Amino acid sequence: MRRVAVVGGGAAGFFFAANAGREQGTSVEIFEASPKPLRKVLASGAGRCNLANSLEDIESIISNYPRGGGFLRKVFRAFSPKDAVQWFERRGVNVKKLHSGKIFPEAESSAVVAAALEREALRAGAKIRTNFPVSRIAKSAEGGFDIFGGKGQARGEVCAGRFDAVLLSCGGLRDGALKRSIEGLGHTVSELAPALYALKTSPRFPGLSGVSVRGAALTFKNETKRRAQGDLLFTFKGLSGPAVYKLTSFFAREFKASGFKADFFADLMFSRSSERGASEFFRSCRASCGARKVENARPEGIAEKLWLEILSLAEIPPDRVFAKLSSAEERRIAGFLTRMPFRSEAPDGGEVVTCGGIKNSEVDFSTMQSKIAKGLFFAGECLDIDGLTGGFNLQNAWCTAKIAAAAISQTP
Ligand SMILES: Cc1cc2nc3c(=O)[nH]c(=O)nc-3n(C[C@H](O)[C@H](O)[C@H](O)COP(=O)(O)OP(=O)(O)OC[C@H]3O[C@@H](n4cnc5c(N)ncnc54)[C@H](O)[C@@H]3O)c2cc1C
Protein backbone atom coordinates (compact mmCIF):
# COMPACT_ATOMS: atom_id res chain seq x y z
CA MET A 1 0.00 0.00 0.00
CA ARG A 2 1.50 3.38 -0.99
CA ARG A 3 1.33 6.06 1.68
CA VAL A 4 0.27 9.57 0.66
CA ALA A 5 0.40 12.67 2.84
CA VAL A 6 -2.17 15.34 2.04
CA VAL A 7 -1.06 18.77 3.22
CA GLY A 8 -4.26 20.76 3.83
CA GLY A 9 -7.70 19.44 4.70
CA GLY A 10 -9.81 21.64 2.48
CA ALA A 11 -11.81 21.16 -0.70
CA ALA A 12 -8.98 19.71 -2.79
CA GLY A 13 -7.45 17.61 0.01
CA PHE A 14 -10.72 15.89 0.86
CA PHE A 15 -11.78 15.38 -2.76
CA PHE A 16 -8.41 13.76 -3.35
CA ALA A 17 -8.72 11.54 -0.25
CA ALA A 18 -12.21 10.45 -1.28
CA ASN A 19 -10.90 9.39 -4.68
CA ALA A 20 -7.52 7.91 -3.84
CA GLY A 21 -8.28 5.55 -1.05
CA ARG A 22 -7.78 2.02 0.09
CA GLU A 23 -9.48 0.50 -2.95
CA GLN A 24 -6.89 2.22 -5.12
CA GLY A 25 -4.09 0.75 -3.04
CA THR A 26 -3.40 4.05 -1.34
CA SER A 27 -3.38 4.95 2.32
CA VAL A 28 -4.03 8.67 2.78
CA GLU A 29 -3.26 10.82 5.79
CA ILE A 30 -4.60 14.40 5.77
CA PHE A 31 -2.64 16.99 7.78
CA GLU A 32 -4.73 20.03 8.60
CA ALA A 33 -3.32 23.09 10.35
CA SER A 34 -6.54 24.21 11.99
CA PRO A 35 -8.73 22.39 14.53
CA LYS A 36 -11.48 21.86 11.96
CA PRO A 37 -11.06 20.79 8.34
CA LEU A 38 -13.09 22.09 5.38
CA ARG A 39 -13.64 25.53 6.87
CA LYS A 40 -13.58 27.35 3.53
CA VAL A 41 -16.02 24.87 2.02
CA LEU A 42 -18.36 25.50 4.94
CA ALA A 43 -18.03 29.28 4.51
CA SER A 44 -18.38 29.14 0.75
CA GLY A 45 -21.25 30.79 -1.06
CA ALA A 46 -22.31 32.50 2.19
CA GLY A 47 -22.91 29.07 3.73
CA ARG A 48 -24.69 27.73 0.63
CA CYS A 49 -21.61 26.57 -1.33
CA ASN A 50 -21.59 27.49 -4.98
CA LEU A 51 -19.85 24.22 -5.78
CA ALA A 52 -19.49 24.57 -9.55
CA ASN A 53 -20.68 26.39 -12.63
CA SER A 54 -22.91 24.90 -15.31
CA LEU A 55 -20.85 26.22 -18.24
CA GLU A 56 -19.79 23.20 -20.31
CA ASP A 57 -17.78 24.64 -23.16
CA ILE A 58 -14.16 24.44 -22.00
CA GLU A 59 -13.07 27.73 -23.58
CA SER A 60 -15.97 29.56 -21.88
CA ILE A 61 -15.09 27.94 -18.56
CA ILE A 62 -11.44 28.86 -18.66
CA SER A 63 -12.23 32.48 -19.62
CA ASN A 64 -13.49 32.81 -16.04
CA TYR A 65 -10.01 32.33 -14.61
CA PRO A 66 -8.08 35.63 -14.66
CA ARG A 67 -4.90 33.62 -14.05
CA GLY A 68 -3.95 30.09 -15.02
CA GLY A 69 -7.18 29.02 -16.75
CA GLY A 70 -5.34 27.77 -19.84
CA PHE A 71 -3.56 25.16 -17.71
CA LEU A 72 -6.95 23.73 -16.70
CA ARG A 73 -7.87 22.83 -20.29
CA LYS A 74 -6.22 19.43 -19.97
CA VAL A 75 -7.70 18.86 -16.52
CA PHE A 76 -11.29 19.67 -17.55
CA ARG A 77 -11.01 17.44 -20.64
CA ALA A 78 -10.13 14.52 -18.39
CA PHE A 79 -12.51 15.34 -15.52
CA SER A 80 -14.92 18.19 -16.16
CA PRO A 81 -16.82 20.37 -13.68
CA LYS A 82 -19.92 18.44 -14.85
CA ASP A 83 -18.22 15.19 -13.81
CA ALA A 84 -17.49 16.75 -10.41
CA VAL A 85 -21.14 17.72 -9.95
CA GLN A 86 -22.21 14.18 -10.91
CA TRP A 87 -19.73 12.83 -8.37
CA PHE A 88 -21.53 14.78 -5.64
CA GLU A 89 -24.98 13.83 -6.95
CA ARG A 90 -24.05 10.14 -6.87
CA ARG A 91 -23.14 10.65 -3.23
CA GLY A 92 -26.47 12.13 -2.27
CA VAL A 93 -25.82 15.85 -2.80
CA ASN A 94 -28.71 16.92 -5.03
CA VAL A 95 -27.99 20.20 -6.78
CA LYS A 96 -29.84 23.04 -8.42
CA LYS A 97 -28.60 25.17 -11.29
CA LEU A 98 -29.40 28.87 -11.34
CA HIS A 99 -29.89 30.96 -14.50
CA SER A 100 -26.59 32.66 -13.69
CA GLY A 101 -24.85 29.29 -14.12
CA LYS A 102 -24.08 28.91 -10.43
CA ILE A 103 -24.67 25.42 -9.03
CA PHE A 104 -25.67 25.03 -5.36
CA PRO A 105 -26.75 22.05 -3.28
CA GLU A 106 -30.55 21.80 -3.35
CA ALA A 107 -30.42 21.93 0.45
CA GLU A 108 -28.81 25.41 0.14
CA SER A 109 -26.26 24.36 2.71
CA SER A 110 -22.51 23.98 2.40
CA ALA A 111 -22.70 21.51 5.30
CA VAL A 112 -24.07 18.79 2.99
CA VAL A 113 -21.08 19.20 0.68
CA ALA A 114 -18.60 19.12 3.57
CA ALA A 115 -20.38 16.10 5.09
CA ALA A 116 -20.24 14.20 1.79
CA LEU A 117 -16.53 14.93 1.43
CA GLU A 118 -15.73 13.88 4.98
CA ARG A 119 -17.85 10.73 4.78
CA GLU A 120 -16.30 9.65 1.45
CA ALA A 121 -12.75 10.38 2.62
CA LEU A 122 -13.29 8.31 5.77
CA ARG A 123 -14.96 5.55 3.78
CA ALA A 124 -11.88 5.45 1.54
CA GLY A 125 -9.78 4.96 4.67
CA ALA A 126 -8.27 8.43 5.06
CA LYS A 127 -6.85 9.42 8.45
CA ILE A 128 -7.38 13.05 9.41
CA ARG A 129 -4.88 14.77 11.66
CA THR A 130 -6.02 18.26 12.70
CA ASN A 131 -3.98 20.95 14.53
CA PHE A 132 -0.99 19.86 12.50
CA PRO A 133 0.48 22.72 10.43
CA VAL A 134 3.02 21.20 8.08
CA SER A 135 6.16 23.31 8.13
CA ARG A 136 8.48 21.18 6.01
CA ILE A 137 8.34 18.55 3.31
CA ALA A 138 11.77 16.94 3.01
CA LYS A 139 12.79 14.64 0.18
CA SER A 140 14.40 11.56 1.63
CA ALA A 141 17.55 10.07 0.14
CA GLU A 142 15.96 6.59 0.30
CA GLY A 143 12.92 7.81 -1.70
CA GLY A 144 9.69 9.41 -0.55
CA PHE A 145 9.14 12.43 1.64
CA ASP A 146 9.34 13.16 5.38
CA ILE A 147 6.61 15.42 6.71
CA PHE A 148 7.45 17.79 9.56
CA GLY A 149 5.25 20.11 11.54
CA GLY A 150 2.92 20.13 14.49
CA LYS A 151 1.81 22.63 17.08
CA GLY A 152 2.87 23.33 20.65
CA GLN A 153 5.88 21.03 20.57
CA ALA A 154 8.41 22.28 23.13
CA ARG A 155 11.27 21.15 20.92
CA GLY A 156 9.86 22.55 17.67
CA GLU A 157 8.63 20.51 14.76
CA VAL A 158 8.01 16.78 14.84
CA CYS A 159 8.31 14.28 12.03
CA ALA A 160 4.95 12.78 11.15
CA GLY A 161 6.48 9.99 9.11
CA ARG A 162 7.66 9.00 5.67
CA PHE A 163 5.33 8.96 2.69
CA ASP A 164 5.70 7.70 -0.87
CA ALA A 165 3.97 10.79 -2.26
CA VAL A 166 2.64 14.13 -1.09
CA LEU A 167 -0.33 16.15 -2.27
CA LEU A 168 -0.02 19.86 -1.56
CA SER A 169 -3.57 21.18 -1.11
CA CYS A 170 -2.98 23.95 1.40
CA GLY A 171 -4.94 26.66 -0.45
CA GLY A 172 -3.29 30.10 -0.82
CA LEU A 173 0.37 29.50 0.07
CA ARG A 174 0.51 32.02 2.90
CA ASP A 175 2.23 29.77 5.47
CA GLY A 176 5.80 31.10 5.25
CA ALA A 177 7.54 27.94 6.49
CA LEU A 178 5.65 25.69 4.10
CA LYS A 179 6.22 28.10 1.21
CA ARG A 180 9.98 28.16 1.88
CA SER A 181 10.02 24.38 2.06
CA ILE A 182 8.32 24.07 -1.33
CA GLU A 183 10.76 26.59 -2.77
CA GLY A 184 13.54 24.52 -1.23
CA LEU A 185 12.31 21.56 -3.28
CA GLY A 186 12.97 23.66 -6.37
CA HIS A 187 9.56 25.21 -6.99
CA THR A 188 8.79 28.84 -7.74
CA VAL A 189 5.91 30.53 -5.97
CA SER A 190 4.58 33.51 -7.92
CA GLU A 191 3.71 36.66 -6.00
CA LEU A 192 0.66 36.19 -3.78
CA ALA A 193 -2.12 38.77 -3.54
CA PRO A 194 -5.65 38.70 -2.23
CA ALA A 195 -8.34 38.58 -4.91
CA LEU A 196 -12.13 38.76 -5.08
CA TYR A 197 -13.07 41.09 -2.26
CA ALA A 198 -15.40 44.01 -1.63
CA LEU A 199 -13.91 47.49 -1.18
CA LYS A 200 -14.05 50.16 1.45
CA THR A 201 -14.17 53.38 -0.53
CA SER A 202 -14.21 57.08 -0.22
CA PRO A 203 -16.62 58.54 -0.67
CA ARG A 204 -18.92 55.96 0.79
CA PHE A 205 -22.69 56.19 0.90
CA PRO A 206 -24.02 54.34 3.95
CA GLY A 207 -27.53 55.57 3.17
CA LEU A 208 -27.37 53.69 -0.14
CA SER A 209 -26.37 50.41 1.52
CA GLY A 210 -28.21 47.60 -0.29
CA VAL A 211 -28.90 49.63 -3.45
CA SER A 212 -27.70 47.86 -6.59
CA VAL A 213 -27.14 48.86 -10.19
CA ARG A 214 -27.36 46.28 -12.94
CA GLY A 215 -24.78 46.28 -15.70
CA ALA A 216 -22.35 48.85 -14.32
CA ALA A 217 -18.68 49.22 -15.25
CA LEU A 218 -15.68 50.23 -13.14
CA THR A 219 -12.72 51.85 -14.87
CA PHE A 220 -9.40 52.93 -13.40
CA LYS A 221 -8.91 56.69 -13.60
CA ASN A 222 -7.51 57.87 -16.94
CA GLU A 223 -7.75 54.42 -18.47
CA THR A 224 -10.29 52.75 -20.67
CA LYS A 225 -8.93 49.24 -21.05
CA ARG A 226 -8.62 48.35 -17.39
CA ARG A 227 -12.30 47.86 -16.78
CA ALA A 228 -14.60 45.44 -14.96
CA GLN A 229 -18.26 45.05 -15.82
CA GLY A 230 -21.11 43.61 -13.81
CA ASP A 231 -23.72 44.46 -11.22
CA LEU A 232 -22.67 46.88 -8.50
CA LEU A 233 -23.82 46.94 -4.91
CA PHE A 234 -23.51 49.91 -2.55
CA THR A 235 -22.57 48.77 0.95
CA PHE A 236 -22.26 50.50 4.30
CA LYS A 237 -18.51 50.95 3.86
CA GLY A 238 -18.14 51.13 0.10
CA LEU A 239 -18.87 48.94 -2.88
CA SER A 240 -19.37 45.26 -3.58
CA GLY A 241 -21.06 43.04 -6.17
CA PRO A 242 -19.75 41.20 -9.25
CA ALA A 243 -18.21 44.34 -10.83
CA VAL A 244 -16.08 44.98 -7.72
CA TYR A 245 -15.14 41.30 -7.39
CA LYS A 246 -13.99 41.32 -11.01
CA LEU A 247 -12.01 44.53 -10.48
CA THR A 248 -10.22 43.17 -7.40
CA SER A 249 -9.62 39.90 -9.20
CA PHE A 250 -8.40 41.16 -12.60
CA PHE A 251 -6.13 43.72 -10.91
CA ALA A 252 -5.32 41.82 -7.71
CA ARG A 253 -1.59 42.50 -7.90
CA GLU A 254 -2.04 46.18 -8.82
CA PHE A 255 -4.34 46.68 -5.82
CA LYS A 256 -1.84 45.00 -3.52
CA ALA A 257 1.09 47.03 -4.92
CA SER A 258 -0.76 50.30 -4.33
CA GLY A 259 -1.69 49.40 -0.74
CA PHE A 260 -5.24 48.94 -2.03
CA LYS A 261 -5.50 52.64 -2.89
CA ALA A 262 -6.79 53.13 -6.40
CA ASP A 263 -8.86 55.80 -8.09
CA PHE A 264 -11.61 54.56 -10.34
CA PHE A 265 -14.90 55.61 -11.85
CA ALA A 266 -18.24 53.84 -11.76
CA ASP A 267 -20.32 54.03 -14.91
CA LEU A 268 -23.83 53.40 -13.63
CA MET A 269 -25.26 53.69 -17.14
CA PHE A 270 -22.83 51.28 -18.82
CA SER A 271 -25.52 48.83 -19.97
CA ARG A 272 -27.61 51.77 -21.19
CA SER A 273 -25.01 53.30 -23.52
CA SER A 274 -23.29 55.50 -20.90
CA GLU A 275 -23.18 59.22 -21.97
CA ARG A 276 -25.45 58.55 -24.95
CA GLY A 277 -28.00 56.92 -22.63
CA ALA A 278 -27.79 59.85 -20.21
CA SER A 279 -28.31 62.51 -22.88
CA GLU A 280 -31.16 60.46 -24.37
CA PHE A 281 -32.77 60.42 -20.90
CA PHE A 282 -32.56 64.24 -20.58
CA ARG A 283 -33.78 64.73 -24.15
CA SER A 284 -36.84 62.55 -23.64
CA CYS A 285 -37.62 64.13 -20.23
CA ARG A 286 -37.45 67.61 -21.72
CA ALA A 287 -39.64 66.57 -24.64
CA SER A 288 -42.29 64.62 -22.76
CA CYS A 289 -42.31 65.99 -19.23
CA GLY A 290 -40.41 69.27 -19.12
CA ALA A 291 -42.59 70.53 -16.26
CA ARG A 292 -41.76 67.51 -14.13
CA LYS A 293 -39.45 67.87 -11.14
CA VAL A 294 -36.13 66.08 -11.59
CA GLU A 295 -36.70 64.10 -8.40
CA ASN A 296 -39.74 62.48 -10.02
CA ALA A 297 -38.12 60.92 -13.09
CA ARG A 298 -34.87 59.02 -13.28
CA PRO A 299 -32.98 56.89 -15.77
CA GLU A 300 -34.06 53.28 -16.03
CA GLY A 301 -32.16 51.06 -13.58
CA ILE A 302 -31.22 53.89 -11.20
CA ALA A 303 -32.93 53.45 -7.82
CA GLU A 304 -34.70 56.47 -6.33
CA LYS A 305 -32.28 56.79 -3.38
CA LEU A 306 -29.32 56.69 -5.74
CA TRP A 307 -30.86 59.27 -8.06
CA LEU A 308 -31.45 61.68 -5.15
CA GLU A 309 -27.85 61.17 -4.04
CA ILE A 310 -26.60 61.93 -7.56
CA LEU A 311 -28.72 65.12 -7.68
CA SER A 312 -27.26 66.14 -4.34
CA LEU A 313 -23.67 65.44 -5.53
CA ALA A 314 -24.35 67.47 -8.67
CA GLU A 315 -25.84 70.24 -6.50
CA ILE A 316 -29.20 70.19 -8.28
CA PRO A 317 -32.25 71.02 -6.15
CA PRO A 318 -34.53 68.00 -6.51
CA ASP A 319 -37.56 70.19 -7.15
CA ARG A 320 -35.95 71.80 -10.24
CA VAL A 321 -38.05 71.02 -13.35
CA PHE A 322 -36.42 69.30 -16.34
CA ALA A 323 -37.17 72.21 -18.67
CA LYS A 324 -35.14 74.52 -16.40
CA LEU A 325 -31.99 72.36 -16.24
CA SER A 326 -29.09 74.14 -17.90
CA SER A 327 -26.79 72.12 -20.14
CA ALA A 328 -24.01 72.54 -17.55
CA GLU A 329 -26.31 71.05 -14.89
CA GLU A 330 -27.24 68.17 -17.18
CA ARG A 331 -23.57 67.54 -17.80
CA ARG A 332 -22.91 67.49 -14.04
CA ILE A 333 -25.64 64.90 -13.45
CA ALA A 334 -24.50 62.85 -16.46
CA GLY A 335 -20.96 63.04 -15.06
CA PHE A 336 -22.00 61.36 -11.82
CA LEU A 337 -24.14 58.82 -13.68
CA THR A 338 -21.35 57.74 -15.97
CA ARG A 339 -18.10 58.65 -14.15
CA MET A 340 -18.84 58.59 -10.45
CA PRO A 341 -15.41 58.93 -8.78
CA PHE A 342 -14.26 56.57 -6.04
CA ARG A 343 -11.02 55.82 -4.25
CA SER A 344 -10.55 52.37 -2.75
CA GLU A 345 -9.22 52.50 0.80
CA ALA A 346 -8.93 48.83 1.79
CA PRO A 347 -10.55 45.44 1.25
CA ASP A 348 -13.87 45.21 3.03
CA GLY A 349 -13.75 41.74 4.57
CA GLY A 350 -11.44 38.88 3.76
CA GLU A 351 -10.34 37.75 0.35
CA VAL A 352 -12.23 34.92 -1.21
CA VAL A 353 -9.29 33.53 -3.12
CA THR A 354 -5.51 33.99 -3.35
CA CYS A 355 -3.99 35.09 -6.63
CA GLY A 356 -0.56 33.52 -7.20
CA GLY A 357 0.98 30.24 -6.13
CA ILE A 358 3.03 27.38 -7.53
CA LYS A 359 4.25 28.29 -10.99
CA ASN A 360 1.99 26.35 -13.36
CA SER A 361 4.71 25.55 -15.90
CA GLU A 362 6.46 23.50 -13.19
CA VAL A 363 3.46 21.14 -12.98
CA ASP A 364 2.38 18.38 -15.36
CA PHE A 365 -1.36 19.02 -15.61
CA SER A 366 -2.08 15.56 -17.00
CA THR A 367 -1.14 14.11 -13.59
CA MET A 368 -0.83 17.23 -11.34
CA GLN A 369 2.65 15.98 -10.50
CA SER A 370 5.63 18.28 -10.04
CA LYS A 371 8.00 18.31 -12.99
CA ILE A 372 10.77 19.08 -10.49
CA ALA A 373 10.19 16.84 -7.47
CA LYS A 374 8.74 13.47 -8.51
CA GLY A 375 6.13 12.23 -6.06
CA LEU A 376 4.96 15.74 -5.18
CA PHE A 377 1.47 16.58 -6.45
CA PHE A 378 -0.61 19.77 -6.35
CA ALA A 379 -4.33 20.56 -6.32
CA GLY A 380 -6.55 23.59 -5.80
CA GLU A 381 -5.74 27.12 -4.85
CA CYS A 382 -2.04 26.55 -4.04
CA LEU A 383 -1.47 26.67 -7.80
CA ASP A 384 -1.16 29.97 -9.67
CA ILE A 385 -4.79 29.63 -10.74
CA ASP A 386 -7.74 31.64 -9.50
CA GLY A 387 -11.23 32.09 -10.82
CA LEU A 388 -14.02 34.63 -10.67
CA THR A 389 -17.11 34.13 -8.53
CA GLY A 390 -19.56 31.55 -9.84
CA GLY A 391 -18.19 28.23 -8.59
CA PHE A 392 -14.94 28.39 -10.58
CA ASN A 393 -12.58 28.17 -7.62
CA LEU A 394 -14.13 25.09 -6.07
CA GLN A 395 -14.33 23.34 -9.42
CA ASN A 396 -10.60 23.98 -9.82
CA ALA A 397 -10.10 22.24 -6.46
CA TRP A 398 -12.33 19.23 -7.30
CA CYS A 399 -10.96 18.65 -10.79
CA THR A 400 -7.24 19.05 -10.10
CA ALA A 401 -7.61 16.83 -7.00
CA LYS A 402 -9.33 14.12 -9.02
CA ILE A 403 -6.56 14.13 -11.66
CA ALA A 404 -3.94 13.83 -8.91
CA ALA A 405 -5.89 10.97 -7.28
CA ALA A 406 -6.16 9.08 -10.56
CA ALA A 407 -2.45 9.58 -11.28
CA ILE A 408 -1.32 8.48 -7.81
CA SER A 409 -3.58 5.44 -7.97
CA GLN A 410 -1.94 4.41 -11.24
CA THR A 411 1.58 4.79 -9.87
CA PRO A 412 3.10 1.33 -9.38
C1 LIG B 1 -15.84 33.19 2.36
C2 LIG B 1 -15.51 32.40 1.12
C3 LIG B 1 -16.52 32.00 0.26
C4 LIG B 1 -16.19 31.28 -0.88
N1 LIG B 1 -17.21 30.86 -1.69
C5 LIG B 1 -16.93 30.15 -2.80
C6 LIG B 1 -17.97 29.62 -3.61
O1 LIG B 1 -19.15 29.73 -3.28
N2 LIG B 1 -17.62 28.95 -4.74
C7 LIG B 1 -16.30 28.75 -5.10
O2 LIG B 1 -16.05 28.14 -6.14
N3 LIG B 1 -15.30 29.18 -4.31
C8 LIG B 1 -15.58 29.86 -3.17
N4 LIG B 1 -14.56 30.28 -2.38
C9 LIG B 1 -13.18 29.90 -2.72
C10 LIG B 1 -12.98 28.41 -2.39
O3 LIG B 1 -13.49 28.13 -1.11
C11 LIG B 1 -11.50 28.05 -2.45
O4 LIG B 1 -10.96 28.42 -3.68
C12 LIG B 1 -11.31 26.54 -2.24
O5 LIG B 1 -11.74 26.18 -0.95
C13 LIG B 1 -9.85 26.16 -2.43
O6 LIG B 1 -9.70 24.81 -2.07
P1 LIG B 1 -8.29 24.26 -1.56
O7 LIG B 1 -8.53 22.89 -1.09
O8 LIG B 1 -7.26 24.55 -2.55
O9 LIG B 1 -7.97 25.21 -0.30
P2 LIG B 1 -8.78 25.35 1.06
O10 LIG B 1 -10.18 24.90 0.89
O11 LIG B 1 -8.49 26.74 1.51
O12 LIG B 1 -8.07 24.32 2.02
C14 LIG B 1 -6.73 24.46 2.39
C15 LIG B 1 -6.55 23.88 3.78
O13 LIG B 1 -5.17 23.77 4.06
C16 LIG B 1 -4.94 24.15 5.40
N5 LIG B 1 -3.54 24.55 5.51
C17 LIG B 1 -2.95 25.69 5.11
N6 LIG B 1 -1.64 25.68 5.40
C18 LIG B 1 -1.39 24.48 5.99
C19 LIG B 1 -0.21 23.86 6.52
N7 LIG B 1 0.96 24.47 6.50
N8 LIG B 1 -0.34 22.63 7.05
C20 LIG B 1 -1.53 21.98 7.09
N9 LIG B 1 -2.67 22.52 6.63
C21 LIG B 1 -2.60 23.76 6.06
C22 LIG B 1 -5.93 25.26 5.64
O14 LIG B 1 -6.20 25.41 7.03
C23 LIG B 1 -7.15 24.75 4.87
O15 LIG B 1 -8.00 23.97 5.66
C24 LIG B 1 -14.85 30.97 -1.19
C25 LIG B 1 -13.85 31.36 -0.30
C26 LIG B 1 -14.16 32.07 0.84
C27 LIG B 1 -13.07 32.47 1.79
Side-chain angles (χ1 to χ4, degrees):
M1 187 84 67
R2 71 186 80 77
R3 292 187 74 205
V4 181
V6 169
V7 180
F14 270 80
F15 202 79
F16 172 89
N19 284 284
R22 241 179 340 231
E23 285 166 20
Q24 273 67 39
T26 305
S27 127
V28 173
E29 190 161 354
I30 301 175
F31 295 95
E32 167 55 40
S34 69
K36 193 170 160 55
L38 293 165
R39 278 179 316 162
K40 253 197 192 183
V41 170
L42 287 163
S44 67
R48 294 189 307 149
C49 187
N50 174 197
L51 76 156
N53 193 280
S54 62
L55 280 177
E56 287 187 21
D57 166 55
I58 289 188
E59 295 310 309
S60 310
I61 301 174
I62 65 174
S63 69
N64 283 281
Y65 292 86
R67 284 155 291 267
F71 287 89
L72 290 175
R73 218 176 252 119
K74 218 178 235 177
V75 171
F76 292 156
R77 279 197 197 115
F79 186 76
S80 68
K82 191 177 174 187
D83 295 329
V85 171
Q86 282 171 355
W87 186 95
F88 280 104
E89 286 181 309
R90 277 192 223 107
R91 285 152 184 87
V93 180
N94 295 328
V95 300
K96 59 177 182 187
K97 298 178 187 179
L98 306 192
H99 284 307
S100 60
K102 292 180 178 180
I103 299 179
F104 288 93
E106 218 168 59
E108 299 225 354
S109 162
S110 54
V112 300
V113 176
L117 287 167
E118 201 158 352
R119 191 178 59 241
E120 292 302 319
L122 291 173
R123 183 177 296 165
K127 287 194 207 103
I128 303 163
R129 191 157 169 187
T130 53
N131 287 311
F132 196 97
V134 172
S135 51
R136 198 152 57 93
I137 301 168
K139 215 165 184 341
S140 135
E142 297 95 60
F145 297 86
D146 294 326
I147 296 289
F148 295 90
K151 232 180 209 172
Q153 303 296 325
R155 284 182 292 131
E157 58 182 21
V158 291
C159 181
R162 178 153 307 165
F163 295 84
D164 302 304
V166 174
L167 176 83
L168 188 73
S169 54
C170 59
L173 252 169
R174 276 166 304 174
D175 180 325
L178 183 59
K179 179 169 172 270
R180 281 190 297 280
S181 171
I182 297 297
E183 286 167 339
L185 289 171
H187 275 284
T188 317
V189 177
S190 68
E191 188 202 340
L192 306 177
L196 282 185
Y197 46 85
L199 287 171
K200 291 181 185 163
T201 63
S202 65
R204 62 191 181 102
F205 300 99
L208 294 181
S209 180
V211 169
S212 62
V213 179
R214 300 201 65 177
L218 305 175
T219 314
F220 284 104
K221 198 173 172 185
N222 303 328
E223 296 189 44
T224 48
K225 286 198 180 143
R226 302 207 305 161
R227 184 165 70 197
Q229 291 165 234
D231 297 348
L232 186 67
L233 177 71
F234 285 85
T235 63
F236 192 72
K237 292 179 183 162
L239 293 173
S240 182
V244 176
Y245 286 127
K246 279 188 190 164
L247 194 76
T248 56
S249 172
F250 291 157
F251 309 109
R253 290 197 173 110
E254 284 89 336
F255 269 104
K256 186 186 170 202
S258 68
F260 304 100
K261 312 276 187 233
D263 293 302
F264 62 92
F265 296 113
D267 181 351
L268 309 176
M269 298 279 290
F270 185 72
S271 63
R272 290 168 292 277
S273 310
S274 302
E275 283 93 353
R276 202 146 47 80
S279 40
E280 172 58 28
F281 164 74
F282 288 118
R283 201 191 52 71
S284 82
C285 285
R286 268 198 313 276
S288 64
C289 55
R292 209 157 164 197
K293 292 176 183 169
V294 287
E295 65 185 342
N296 292 331
R298 54 187 195 276
E300 192 197 328
I302 301 295
E304 186 181 355
K305 269 190 192 173
L306 176 55
W307 179 237
L308 293 177
E309 188 66 55
I310 287 171
L311 294 179
S312 153
L313 290 166
E315 298 174 358
I316 309 294
D319 58 354
R320 174 78 51 85
V321 296
F322 275 98
K324 290 264 168 72
L325 277 180
S326 68
S327 17
E329 286 173 327
E330 277 187 21
R331 275 201 303 277
R332 280 213 305 276
I333 302 174
F336 282 103
L337 279 171
T338 59
R339 283 172 71 78
M340 196 172 198
F342 286 95
R343 181 173 175 76
S344 62
E345 297 295 350
D348 185 9
E351 76 200 63
V352 167
V353 71
T354 303
C355 137
I358 303 288
K359 197 171 172 188
N360 296 321
S361 58
E362 296 172 353
V363 180
D364 173 359
F365 278 79
S366 59
T367 58
M368 299 314 299
Q369 184 166 200
S370 161
K371 290 179 184 171
I372 296 168
K374 291 291 166 225
L376 178 61
F377 292 75
F378 303 98
E381 210 179 298
C382 64
L383 292 153
D384 189 1
I385 299 175
D386 58 288
L388 297 174
T389 53
F392 299 101
N393 286 301
L394 281 172
Q395 70 186 29
N396 167 34
W398 314 137
C399 298
T400 48
K402 174 72 180 167
I403 298 301
I408 283 186
S409 304
Q410 278 154 25
T411 311

